Amino acid sequence: MEQPWESLRQQFYQHFGKEPASMWQSPGRINLMGDHTDYQGGLALPIAVPYSTWVAGRLRDDQTIRGFSDFGQEDIHLEAQFVPSLVRQKPLRGLVGFVAATWDILGLEQGIDLYIASTLPIASGLSSSASLSLGILATVRELFGKSVLPEKMVPDARRIENEYLGVNSGILDPLAIALGRADFALLVDALVQDAHPVPFDYAGKGMSLWIIDTQTPRTLASSGYDQRVWECQQATHMLGVSFLRQATMKAIRGLTDSVLQARARHVVKENQRVRWTVSAAQGGDWDRVKFLFWASHWSLSQDFMVSTPVLDQTVMWLQEMGVGARLTGAGFGGSVIALGDVVQGKEIIRRLTMAYTDKGWQSPRFLEVARPAAGLHKVIPDNIKG
Ligand code: GLA
């Protein structure tokens, strides 16, 4: 079977008549536990997934930045000296926005040829945007002889989204993608902006994970997300703490505003659920992990109110089948993740497809994550061949 990197290399050659000098694979991520905690200094438990953005590049002798992609985005044709005037029009849009932001942050003047391919669904809550930022950053940094250590790239990936694209996102996505480790989950601590691998060996126990992309539009994702960030800040002011991570349940029960109380309750309990999920997985108590998935989903739905009827109903159907399930990421549409026995896979797909059809909903898309994938890494074709 042809590997994505082979086709990436061929596509690059077809467009530019030369071999790429640098190729990187930048995965997407799902979050297993700990949503809407990162911007309150909290904990999260993501994994990288085997669906990725692939970036190939080669320096040019002039100042032209030329780029193509295989996912229907506009071609890039930009002169490096025009980047400053382009970035003054922030927020930037499209592929050219990611590239211009990278040139601006790194202060580059030389041009490049770039080809970008993707096997990662866009706008499904799998962090395709952070994946793209990191793939471009790594390729460009390597070509310009700069360090590709994650600690150099994670802050810039976040800046691209927050400052240049105008998307209010936290540290979870870039950390998960940059530091993801095959076969492990990552325990993210947003207070210290770091993460370390922890065992999450569902594959070794005859289980699998599925991403169920509900294919529902995430129209409120941006405004709803900003509002939740603001509400959590209000709650911290009332509680007299810098981050909700530091608040106690006793203090939260004393909040008079019931909406802020519910938001804060979710964040504090979700942090606890991250720790419990890590220890349950370490102890091989997968029934408890499933239970924690459900508890997290209903907290995101009822206390944090970032779910939708389609996400709720999907989780309900999976819960009836004894499959661990929760929305993943920001919510407001996007994907549900499901944790069950490998043998349940076919039944999950059959039942959900039928149930969606009965409701007259567009069929969901199923993506299996048989095991956690590696994070951002350089593609070295000869090693892969050898
Ligand atoms: C989005 C943001 C992350 C995080 C999640 C919710 O994916 O980009 O920083 O806040 O939502 O957990």
Side-chain angles (χ1 to χ4, degrees):
M1 197 183 85
E2 189 182 53
Q3 295 293 324
W5 66 265
E6 278 173 359
S7 116
L8 180 73
R9 190 187 200 174
Q10 278 165 16
Q11 286 295 333
F12 187 94
Y13 194 86
Q14 274 170 22
H15 282 89
F16 303 110
K18 288 180 180 158
E19 290 286 332
S22 169
M23 291 198 279
W24 284 75
Q25 181 180 358
S26 184
R29 67 98 190 92
I30 52 177
N31 195 19
L32 300 172
M33 189 57 66
D35 273 311
H36 291 277
T37 50
D38 63 344
Y39 51 82
Q40 281 300 323
L43 304 173
L45 193 68
I47 59 172
V49 296
Y51 306 95
S52 303
T53 312
W54 300 76
V55 185
R58 185 184 179 100
L59 285 183
R60 293 171 61 108
D61 297 331
D62 55 17
Q63 293 199 312
T64 305
I65 306 166
R66 202 75 185 99
F68 302 93
S69 77
D70 74 349
F71 46 98
Q73 292 259 348
E74 82 292 2
D75 300 343
I76 304 165
H77 194 170
L78 178 68
E79 294 300 319
Q81 69 264 37
F82 296 132
V83 165
S85 57
L86 181 66
V87 297
R88 274 197 287 279
Q89 298 161 31
K90 288 186 283 205
L92 303 177
R93 290 282 164 264
L95 259 191
V96 72
F98 286 84
V99 170
T102 306
W103 254 249
D104 197 51
I105 287 175
L106 301 178
L108 304 173
E109 287 171 2
Q110 199 177 337
I112 195 180
D113 287 332
L114 209 55
Y115 188 84
I116 304 172
S118 177
T119 53
L120 180 64
I122 291 170
S124 303
L126 307 179
S127 251
S128 55
S129 165
S131 168
L132 183 56
S133 301
L134 280 161
I136 294 175
L137 273 167
T139 308
V140 171
R141 288 187 70 99
E142 191 196 4
L143 288 172
F144 283 91
K146 295 178 187 291
S147 160
V148 288
L149 287 174
E151 56 267 34
K152 299 278 180 204
M153 298 193 283
V154 165
D156 284 351
R158 191 165 173 206
R159 266 186 80 192
I160 291 177
E161 297 215 56
N162 295 173
E163 219 176 280
Y164 290 84
L165 306 177
V167 179
N168 196 358
S169 55
I171 196 76
L172 164 65
D173 307 340
L175 272 181
I177 293 166
L179 298 177
R181 164 111 68 101
D183 291 328
F184 285 82
L186 270 188
L187 178 56
V188 168
D189 186 331
L191 203 55
V192 292
Q193 312 240 314
D194 205 359
H196 66 270
V198 290
F200 199 83
D201 188 20
Y202 57 93
K205 291 288 171 290
M207 301 177 82
S208 198
L209 258 174
W210 294 270
I211 299 167
I212 296 150
D213 176 3
T214 62
Q215 311 223 51
T216 44
R218 301 181 63 224
T219 36
L220 276 176
S222 173
S223 57
Y225 187 91
D226 292 351
Q227 196 191 346
R228 293 300 175 275
V229 171
W230 184 83
E231 288 164 349
C232 288
Q233 280 162 359
Q234 295 306 303
T236 59
H237 295 155
M238 293 189 170
L239 291 160
V241 292
S242 310
F243 295 108
L244 284 178
R245 172 160 180 186
Q246 297 144 344
T248 63
M249 277 309 296
K250 186 162 177 261
I252 289 169
R253 276 193 288 271
L255 284 174
T256 47
D257 182 318
S258 62
V259 171
L260 298 187
Q261 189 183 88
R263 306 296 189 251
R265 182 167 57 225
H266 165 76
V267 174
V268 168
K269 292 198 165 176
E270 187 80 347
N271 282 330
Q272 284 175 345
R273 278 189 288 267
V274 171
R275 291 195 194 284
W276 290 337
T277 306
V278 170
S279 38
Q282 257 161 2
D285 190 349
W286 293 98
D287 282 343
R288 177 145 172 83
V289 174
K290 287 183 191 175
F291 170 82
L292 290 164
F293 270 35
W294 298 325
S296 170
H297 179 81
W298 297 114
S299 172
L300 284 161
S301 175
Q302 285 153 20
D303 276 352
F304 219 69
M305 295 180 83
V306 293
S307 189
T308 64
V310 173
L311 292 172
D312 280 353
Q313 184 62 71
T314 305
V315 169
M316 201 98 85
W317 283 321
L318 289 162
Q319 199 167 339
E320 280 162 15
M321 297 172 72
V323 172
R326 64 188 289 281
L327 70 83
T328 187
F332 302 104
S335 298
V336 163
I337 50 171
L339 176 69
D341 294 336
V342 170
V343 292
Q344 286 181 293
K346 282 204 181 100
E347 187 61 6
I348 290 172
I349 295 173
R350 195 187 65 82
R351 281 229 213 155
L352 287 186
T353 307
M354 252 173 45
Y356 269 59
T357 309
D358 283 351
K359 291 264 185 199
W361 298 343
Q362 188 188 350
S363 285
R365 174 168 34 187
F366 299 91
L367 301 168
E368 189 168 0
V369 184
R371 48 194 344 124
L376 176 72
H377 61 278
K378 183 174 162 62
V379 179
I380 307 170
D382 289 337
N383 287 2
I384 294 173
K385 270 186 196 157

